[in-house]
Amino acid sequence: MTSIDFAAAQQRVLNCRQARALASRSRAQARRSKYALELSGRLPFPLNAWSQTGIEAWDTVKGRDGTQPAFRVGQVDAELLDEELLELLKSQVGEALKYFGSHLRDEWSSEILLLSRAALFKLSIWDHNTSYGAALQNLRYIDARQSGPLLSTPTRWQKACYGALSVGGRYGWDKWNAWLTDQEGSYEQSSPSIQALSWISSAVSTIHSIAALSSFIVFLINGRYRTLLDRVLRLRLASPANHLSRQVSFEYLNRQLVWHAFTEFLLFLLPLVGITRWRRWLSRAWRKAKALVKRVDEGEDKTPDGELSFLPERTCAICYQDQNPTSTAENELLAVTGASGGVVGSAQTDITNPYEMVSCGCTYCFVCAISRLEEADGEGWTCLRCGLLVKECQPWAGDVLAASMMSRTKKNVSFSDEDDNNSEKGT
């Protein structure tokens, strides 16, 4: 059997199932109507009309058509997934905007949320008649006004109204509440018009909450319309085809759990391994390799030097590197200070409280030298002037003049001949 014949056979089977379901639904509706008419006919005149209307309303609310084939849990999960996706997108946009200023994310949070909702609505419901959460649950929006075996897609005006109310309506309501809060939060007493508007807003919010709760209770009964907006626009979530399986694949959740467990394992393992130590070792090896290649290119007879060996002695190489992270070459420094005729130190980079390295004798600020040696964690630090590995430092004694030790005169004791003779005569 070819693929075309197989598709045609599937379509015929689907049409037969839909026809049988429609016939069964019609027979059940006829039985319910007959029973309602018999029950209402036994009542007096004023009550028989009310009872018939009440029975029809109860059948409408209690009808189980909305649960086929869409689960209530799947529809609620779809809404939760959409909200989670919106929060993730908002956080990512906020992280991207923090490089342009930390105040942008707080001051323009409503506008960021508006653009995120508009983008998600355009790429999901407007283009594909389903949201990302509903697509994961194998659900699509259909037009509930159309009755028939085939599911009809929503019209453009339904989707336009849905986007205007769910995206623009929420943004407008949030801005309106923020404006009322600012007006009422001032030190001056708010005007009567502001108080009246605030009372109207509170009443509208309360009425909307009660209506949304009632709509959700009805949704739990018949499973047709998930939200109040869906009920007003007659949009509901349903599976694209009745013959498809209602079970949803949760393989993406398994992958997420695996990656989450792997991330937690790395966060537990990296501090034990000592990633900072490996990073220092790799950076030191890279500097040594680069210095070796440079020495081979320039000649073996040249003495080894560091990357900032061209700086004058009065300048602290660490202070200069911190203040000029991009200018590390001598020609770049000369280009910056070309107006002054060469490399000239400044008060910001001059050495303060000089300390010298034990192995090479290069001089740095005390705070700079101690901080770099502490970061090296006893493994040594590559000197920026000479390129040698240093592990200790000591106070610089270059400006102390050591007093020369003068030789002391020795006392010489001698005995003359006259003293000897006098002593002999006296005896």
Side-chain angles (χ1 to χ4, degrees):
M1 180 181 294
T2 60
S3 59
I4 299 176
D5 297 338
F6 182 73
Q10 278 189 333
Q11 187 63 32
R12 288 194 298 270
V13 171
L14 176 62
N15 294 334
C16 292
R17 289 181 179 178
Q18 291 176 350
R20 286 196 299 269
L22 182 61
S24 176
R25 194 180 301 115
S26 300
R27 289 193 299 268
Q29 184 68 24
R31 286 196 300 268
R32 285 196 298 268
S33 300
K34 183 179 179 180
Y35 175 75
L37 290 175
E38 292 178 357
L39 182 62
S40 61
R42 301 175 185 176
L43 298 175
F45 167 70
L47 300 178
N48 57 4
W50 296 347
S51 62
Q52 184 177 359
T53 305
I55 291 173
E56 291 178 356
W58 174 253
D59 289 339
T60 303
V61 172
K62 194 179 178 182
R64 314 299 293 183
D65 297 336
T67 61
Q68 299 292 334
F71 280 126
R72 301 176 185 84
V73 177
Q75 297 183 53
V76 176
D77 288 344
E79 185 177 7
L80 296 178
L81 289 173
D82 292 335
E83 293 295 332
E84 186 68 21
L85 179 61
L86 181 63
E87 290 296 329
L88 290 175
L89 183 59
K90 180 183 176 181
S91 63
Q92 293 296 327
V93 174
E95 290 293 329
L97 290 178
K98 73 177 182 181
Y99 297 102
F100 299 96
S102 58
H103 62 283
L104 293 178
R105 180 170 56 181
D106 299 331
E107 293 180 357
W108 301 91
S109 59
S110 301
E111 285 72 15
I112 293 173
L113 196 60
L114 172 65
L115 295 178
S116 302
R117 284 174 176 166
L120 291 177
F121 172 77
K122 173 61 175 63
L123 297 176
S124 59
I125 298 178
W126 184 265
D127 292 341
H128 305 287
N129 298 325
T130 181
S131 62
Y132 289 104
L136 291 175
Q137 300 293 330
N138 192 24
L139 298 174
R140 288 180 179 273
Y141 277 105
I142 63 171
D143 188 1
R145 300 173 302 170
Q146 306 294 333
S147 59
L150 299 179
L151 302 178
S152 59
T153 59
T155 60
R156 296 180 67 89
W157 77 267
Q158 283 180 314
K159 293 189 290 186
C161 293
Y162 186 89
L165 294 176
S166 62
V167 179
R170 290 184 180 180
Y171 172 75
W173 184 255
D174 292 340
K175 299 298 288 185
W176 172 256
N177 288 331
W179 182 78
L180 287 178
T181 303
D182 294 339
Q183 295 296 324
E184 293 179 347
S186 60
Y187 293 100
E188 299 179 358
Q189 185 177 3
S190 57
S191 60
S193 59
I194 297 297
Q195 295 179 0
L197 292 176
S198 178
W199 182 85
I200 293 174
S201 299
S202 300
V204 171
S205 179
T206 303
I207 294 173
H208 177 268
S209 300
I210 295 174
L213 177 61
S214 303
S215 176
F216 187 73
I217 292 175
V218 175
F219 164 75
L220 294 179
I221 295 175
N222 58 18
R224 289 187 180 181
Y225 303 103
R226 182 185 57 183
T227 61
L228 182 62
L229 182 59
D230 295 347
R231 188 175 299 277
V232 172
L233 297 178
R234 303 297 300 275
L235 293 172
R236 68 184 184 93
L237 290 171
S239 182
N242 293 332
H243 68 280
L244 294 178
S245 176
R246 296 170 62 177
Q247 296 181 356
V248 181
S249 176
F250 292 98
E251 293 182 358
Y252 66 95
L253 290 179
N254 296 334
R255 291 193 296 268
Q256 184 178 2
L257 290 175
V258 169
W259 280 109
H260 184 69
F262 182 70
T263 304
E264 288 187 348
F265 175 73
L266 288 180
L267 292 177
F268 171 76
L269 184 62
L270 289 180
L272 300 179
V273 175
I275 188 64
T276 56
R277 182 177 301 177
W278 285 97
R279 185 174 58 186
R280 289 196 301 268
W281 182 83
L282 291 176
S283 61
R284 187 167 58 249
W286 169 253
R287 286 195 298 267
K288 287 182 179 180
K290 186 169 63 174
L292 180 61
V293 172
K294 183 178 179 181
R295 202 181 312 136
V296 170
D297 294 339
E298 294 180 356
E300 295 291 341
D301 54 346
K302 186 177 180 180
T303 58
D305 55 355
E307 55 182 351
L308 297 179
S309 59
F310 55 86
L311 293 175
E313 294 183 358
R314 60 177 295 184
T315 303
C316 178
I318 300 176
C319 294
Y320 174 80
Q321 188 183 42
D322 294 339
Q323 297 183 11
N324 303 277
T326 57
S327 301
T328 57
E330 185 176 4
N331 54 357
E332 296 179 0
L333 183 61
L334 291 175
V336 173
T337 59
S340 59
V343 179
V344 179
S346 62
Q348 298 178 353
T349 58
D350 287 347
I351 297 178
T352 304
N353 192 6
Y355 263 62
E356 64 178 359
M357 300 300 172
V358 175
S359 59
C360 61
C362 297
T363 310
Y364 297 92
C365 299
F366 169 72
V367 177
C368 298
I370 292 300
S371 61
R372 292 301 174 93
L373 291 177
E374 286 182 353
E375 291 177 0
D377 196 13
E379 296 183 0
W381 168 69
T382 304
C383 180
L384 297 176
R385 289 184 175 274
C386 61
L388 298 179
L389 186 66
V390 293
K391 297 183 178 180
E392 298 177 353
C393 65
Q394 63 184 4
W396 184 58
D399 56 348
V400 178
L401 298 177
S404 59
M405 299 296 297
M406 300 177 63
S407 61
R408 298 180 180 179
T409 58
K410 298 181 180 180
K411 294 182 178 180
N412 297 325
V413 180
S414 61
F415 300 94
S416 60
D417 297 338
E418 296 180 355
D419 295 338
D420 297 340
N421 296 331
N422 293 334
S423 61
E424 290 178 358
K425 289 179 180 179
T427 56

